[in-house]
Amino acid sequence: MYYIRKTMEIAGCHQLKLSYRSKCEKLHGHNWVVTMFCKAKELNQDGMVIDFTQVKEKIHGYLDHGNLNELLPFNPTAENVARWICEQIPECYRVEVQESARNVAIYEEDED
């Protein structure tokens, strides 16, 4: 099995729709640090799991400096964003989304 890890910083804003009162209901921004983990049993024709540049273009290119409420069709919690990112890249099996130094959400696919 081959593994790669891609880390990128994504600046963006969001506001959460919650079942309780929270300051996060107001529009606010983060500089998310996103770490993606990808794997493949065999390398592609270019000798890669997936090109790092293609991953960055697909995720960073779409989300960076955007309003996640406008870009994504769900409540953009860190957990939901992690799942969405993982679903965008077929080789991806785990994503960590760090909102701040002390707040990290992790999504990992089941290995059914």
Side-chain angles (χ1 to χ4, degrees):
M1 190 67 70
Y2 297 92
Y3 296 89
I4 65 165
R5 181 179 69 213
K6 171 70 176 164
T7 300
M8 62 193 101
E9 189 169 324
I10 297 173
C13 67
H14 69 161
Q15 64 187 101
L16 301 180
K17 295 173 179 62
L18 302 170
S19 63
Y20 56 92
R21 293 175 57 81
S22 168
K23 65 182 180 178
C24 294
E25 292 177 306
K26 295 179 181 180
L27 186 64
H28 63 284
H30 297 282
N31 287 326
W32 282 275
V33 177
V34 174
T35 304
M36 301 175 63
F37 298 82
C38 300
K39 65 181 177 178
K41 288 183 181 179
E42 296 183 23
L43 299 177
N44 66 20
Q45 66 185 15
D46 299 310
M48 303 175 187
V49 171
I50 186 171
D51 189 311
F52 291 115
T53 302
Q54 291 175 339
V55 173
K56 183 176 181 183
E57 288 173 357
K58 179 123 185 164
I59 305 304
H60 184 273
Y62 184 68
L63 296 177
D64 191 51
H65 283 80
N67 180 335
L68 301 189
N69 294 84
E70 295 173 359
L71 296 173
L72 303 171
F74 49 79
N75 195 23
T77 63
E79 294 87 344
N80 282 334
V81 171
R83 184 194 70 241
W84 180 87
I85 290 171
C86 194
E87 292 170 347
Q88 303 312 299
I89 306 293
E91 296 84 358
C92 187
Y93 67 94
R94 178 184 170 102
V95 175
E96 298 175 1
V97 173
Q98 180 179 328
E99 269 191 357
S100 67
R102 297 181 186 162
N103 298 322
V104 178
I106 300 169
Y107 175 80
E108 188 167 302
E109 286 188 339
D110 288 333
E111 293 204 26
D112 296 14

